[in-house]
Every structure is written in C-alpha cells, then in structure tokens.
Amino acid sequence: MVSVADDNVREVPDDPLAAIDYCYEQGWTDGLPVVPPEASRVDAMMAMEGRPPETVLARHPATGLELTIQAAAVNAVMAGCLPEYFPVIVAAFEAMDREPFNFHASSVSTGGSGHLLIVSGPIVEEIGMNADANLFGPGNRANATIGRTVRLTLLNVFRTMPGLADKSTQGHPGKYSFCIAERADRNPWPPLCEELGYPEGVSSVTVFAGAGFLNVENHGGNTPEAILETMADAMANYGCVTTGQSVVVICPEHVEIIARAGWTKAMVREYLFDHARRPREGMERIGKFVLREYERQGRQDFHRGLAPDDILVTVGGGDGGGHSAFIPSWSRGRGSVMQSQPIGVCIDC
C-alpha cells in the first residue's frame, strides 16, 4: 500500500489494520483510528480542486507552517471524507486564514475552542449533510468527517498537539468534530448564505471559534419573548457573558413560534442582545468587569457582544422537542471574529 503524508509518498504494509497502526505510530491521529491516506484516494480528493496541489490555503503566523491543498486532501482522506466534501474543507480553511479569526490563538489557547463550521445552501443536500435530528451528534458521515478534518489538520500540519502547543485547560468534544448544516426546509428566514450576500445557488461555510455549547430548553413557552428570554438568560450567565460573538441555533419547534408572530431574524438578534446582559455591579463582584472592553458599549448593563450583529442566528435540529443551542465564543473578549467563505469560489485568489 502506498500512502501520502507530509507531501511524501511512503510504502507501508499491504494490510489495512497494519496501515492503521502505522498511522498511530507516526502520530497522525486524534486518538481514534484514521483511514490510511492511500495515494489514489488523495488524488481523488485533490481532483475536486482546480488549483495546483502546492497552493497554500492557510498559514500559521507563529510557526510559519503552511497548509497546502495536498496536505488538506491527505487529512480529509484520513478523516474519512468523500471527495465531494473537499470544497467545504477548502473554503473553511480559507476563511480561518483571515486575520480577524485569529487562527493561532484560537487553536492553542487555554480557552480550548473547537472550530465550529456552519454550512448553508444547496451543498447541504448535495453532499448529504445532516441539518435535522441529532444535529450536533454522531451518525452523519459528512458532518463528522468534515469537522474531523479540521482537527486532524491542526494536529498534523500545524502541530498543535495537546499539552504542547494546545494548552486547552479542559477542551470539549467539539475539538474532535464540530460541523453542522443549516436546515433550509424549516427556516422561515433567508438562508445564511443569502444573508451573507452570496449569489443565489452559492453555498457558504462560516467558521467560529466556539466553546462548548449550551442546550437551551423551553417546552412551555408559546411566545417569541418566552423562547428568546430563555435563550438570552443562557447567553448572559456569568460563565459566558463577554464582549465576544455568539452562535444561536434555533430548533424548528422554537422558530415556528417566533416566525408565526411575524418576527424577523433582525428582531431576534435585537431582542437577544438587549436581554442578554448583566449589571455592572455583578460583573465587578465576580471579577469579570473589564473596563476597556465594556466602556465601548456606553452602558451600565453589560451585554453579550457589542451589538446585535454579533449574534449569528440559524435554524437546525429535529422537529420534535423544544431544545435550541447557544455556542459562546472561545475567548474572554473578542479574540476571534467569525469568518465566512463561499464554497467553490475563491474570493481571495
């Protein structure tokens, strides 16, 4: 069996189990078995890209290490991706490479972020992503392996090894894989890809350095205010309230209540921002008052984020159950700003 790693071709035993063990011995895994990056599989992955294999997708500002299309393809194979998933991976790394995302710090900080990918548009159905029940859970190949490619790439290309470069205090399961799709058929608002200004038919991926998510449960509320006040309270708990951005994933049961009353997504963001707040005296008492950041708001009550647009709102999850989700930002402030990229369109080339 011929494998490809670190842009080098290597001969390994012609035995799948032995090849998997070889990958473990080389330190190429996230602790779980990987698919040995056999050369023909890597070539099939790269065939989904029109640029040369040596094209650089992302650079690590601290070490100078670079991610090429070939290296991304190798890690996508090891993660278990099919070739049709590869354009999502390419777009995600191009988005993470932008300076406001803070690729280095969000990968190695004690905050322990997982890089959340939110995919929107026609590609969700084209490649069979899950936007329905068990959205954040296991079982879907596209969601699981696209997200896992990000982590394997961080380990194998950028060398962010836990305990060495990655100093995460506790981490969370999203550091294995953290990839979801927007649910179009239950979304009463324009899809995220359209909201971001991309042309009709163009899909997008948004990347967010996220901490572990909070399940926000409300089975009894039957007004937008009841649902959103529940969410705002979760967003403003003392453990999460910062000036950082937020991702809010509203389940179909909750979004039906909100949309039936005529609320737009802008109204949702404004309500959440206005209600996700804590008084200054409380922030000072617990030691989380950072004057430099909160002065910008010009308020005595301190909000999650700096403005309503700091809250990304999307729709996802199964039809049954009043369970939505809030994903806080990784840092104590604005250490990372989410970025988006159209899939299959290189806007930075």
Side-chain angles (χ1 to χ4, degrees):
M1 179 182 293
V2 178
S3 70
V4 179
D6 302 324
D7 297 341
N8 293 316
V9 177
R10 307 178 188 184
E11 294 283 347
V12 299
D14 196 15
D15 172 356
L17 293 180
I20 290 171
D21 287 338
Y22 178 81
C23 292
Y24 269 116
E25 292 164 5
Q26 301 306 306
W28 296 340
T29 86
D30 52 8
L32 298 173
V34 296
V35 177
E38 192 270 331
S40 66
R41 286 178 176 263
V42 175
D43 289 342
M45 198 72 65
M46 290 192 294
M48 298 300 293
E49 248 294 332
R51 290 171 286 176
E54 64 274 13
T55 301
V56 174
L57 298 175
R59 295 173 175 83
H60 193 289
T63 64
L65 295 170
E66 296 181 335
L67 172 66
T68 64
I69 287 174
Q70 183 178 29
V74 168
N75 284 276
V77 169
M78 289 198 291
C81 286
L82 295 175
E84 52 263 40
Y85 307 166
F86 195 53
V88 179
I89 293 162
V90 169
F93 276 109
E94 288 176 327
M96 286 189 283
D97 192 47
R98 298 197 191 102
E99 185 175 346
F101 187 75
N102 205 343
F103 185 43
H104 167 62
S106 66
S107 302
V108 303
S109 164
T110 56
S113 78
H115 291 148
L116 172 65
L117 276 55
I118 306 167
V119 181
S120 172
I123 199 168
V124 170
E125 288 194 15
E126 290 169 6
I127 66 176
M129 294 188 73
N130 177 33
D132 206 311
N134 204 40
L135 176 64
F136 285 94
N140 179 273
R141 183 173 184 175
N143 293 38
T145 60
I146 291 171
R148 191 187 186 198
T149 300
V150 173
R151 182 54 46 185
L152 287 176
T153 303
L154 288 171
L155 294 169
N156 295 328
V157 176
F158 295 112
R159 312 307 298 166
T160 55
M161 310 302 292
L164 297 176
D166 181 353
K167 296 295 187 179
S168 172
T169 303
Q170 292 188 328
H172 65 89
K175 292 186 68 139
Y176 280 100
S177 180
F178 211 14
C179 177
I180 63 172
E182 182 176 59
R183 186 167 175 187
D185 66 323
R186 295 300 301 272
N187 186 358
W189 305 305
L192 182 57
C193 52
E194 181 180 321
E195 185 181 349
L196 292 167
Y198 301 129
E200 184 178 355
V202 174
S203 300
S204 69
V205 59
T206 298
V207 294
F208 177 67
F213 83 92
L214 282 72
N215 177 61
V216 180
E217 177 272 325
N218 188 331
H219 283 82
N222 58 10
T223 66
E225 292 86 351
I227 300 301
L228 296 176
E229 187 174 340
T230 310
M231 178 65 73
D233 182 68
M235 295 169 67
N237 75 74
Y238 277 130
C240 290
V241 63
T242 73
T243 55
Q245 295 177 309
S246 306
V247 168
V248 170
V249 183
I250 305 178
C251 70
E253 184 172 309
H254 285 164
V255 82
E256 182 178 353
I257 294 168
I258 296 166
R260 191 168 56 221
W263 284 47
T264 65
K265 192 184 286 189
M267 292 168 67
V268 169
R269 284 194 294 258
E270 288 168 5
Y271 187 95
L272 290 175
F273 178 73
D274 189 49
H275 288 78
R277 58 183 178 176
R278 286 282 188 170
R280 174 173 179 157
E281 59 267 25
M283 297 292 284
E284 290 177 331
R285 184 178 67 251
I286 65 168
K288 286 192 70 170
F289 177 72
V290 182
L291 185 62
R292 185 182 66 256
E293 292 184 342
Y294 285 114
E295 267 186 337
R296 301 173 193 170
Q297 296 190 38
R299 303 169 185 252
Q300 287 301 302
D301 288 343
F302 299 105
H303 295 240
R304 172 79 209 181
L306 293 178
D309 285 347
D310 274 342
I311 306 169
L312 183 149
V313 176
T314 187
V315 176
D319 294 327
H323 298 278
S324 293
F326 158 56
I327 301 96
S329 55
W330 136 71
S331 72
R332 74 187 83 177
R334 299 183 69 79
S336 177
V337 177
M338 69 179 77
Q339 300 292 311
S340 298
Q341 175 81 1
I343 297 169
V345 180
C346 181
I347 61 175
D348 298 323
C349 296

